[in-house]
Amino acid sequence: MAPFEVTEIAFDPIDFSPSLEDEFTMTAISKEFESIDDIDLLKVGALNLLKVAMHRQAIIRALCKRLAKIETEGITIQKFKG
């Protein structure tokens, strides 16, 4: 196996703290869920939140892949005349 080097870059804890907008959204959705009496409506809400979470995860994964590619291959600039 070829030797390799691993570089670890620590994140600032503030990078993982919810923003004011995140806190507002969490509060609004929590209040809405707490007021639901219909279990079917609650299931729909939970499935929609799952879809949003999976979409965000896909975006994060794509951004990580793009960042890794840039860091390993560099940036290629393409210019088009239009």
Side-chain angles (χ1 to χ4, degrees), residues 4-70:
F4 62 92
E5 186 176 317
V6 175
T7 303
E8 183 177 320
I9 301 172
F11 286 98
D12 187 334
I14 200 164
D15 291 336
F16 299 106
S17 299
S19 68
L20 187 58
E21 182 181 359
D22 294 335
E23 294 284 351
F24 175 79
T25 301
M26 286 190 295
T27 300
I29 291 173
S30 295
K31 285 182 179 180
E32 191 169 331
F33 271 171
E34 288 172 3
S35 70
I36 295 175
D37 294 327
D38 182 359
I39 192 71
D40 290 329
L41 189 57
L42 188 61
K43 286 179 183 179
V44 169
L47 289 172
N48 285 336
L49 286 175
L50 177 62
K51 288 176 186 177
V52 169
M54 293 297 97
H55 187 232
R56 283 187 173 190
Q57 184 61 33
I59 291 170
I60 291 168
R61 186 173 34 256
L63 289 170
C64 288
K65 285 179 182 179
R66 181 179 291 182
L67 179 60
K69 183 176 181 180
I70 289 170

Side-chain angles (χ1 to χ4, degrees), residues 69-82:
K69 183 176 181 180
I70 289 170
E71 288 183 347
T72 57
E73 298 175 9
I75 298 174
T76 303
I77 299 174
Q78 296 179 346
K79 294 183 180 182
F80 300 96
K81 290 185 179 181

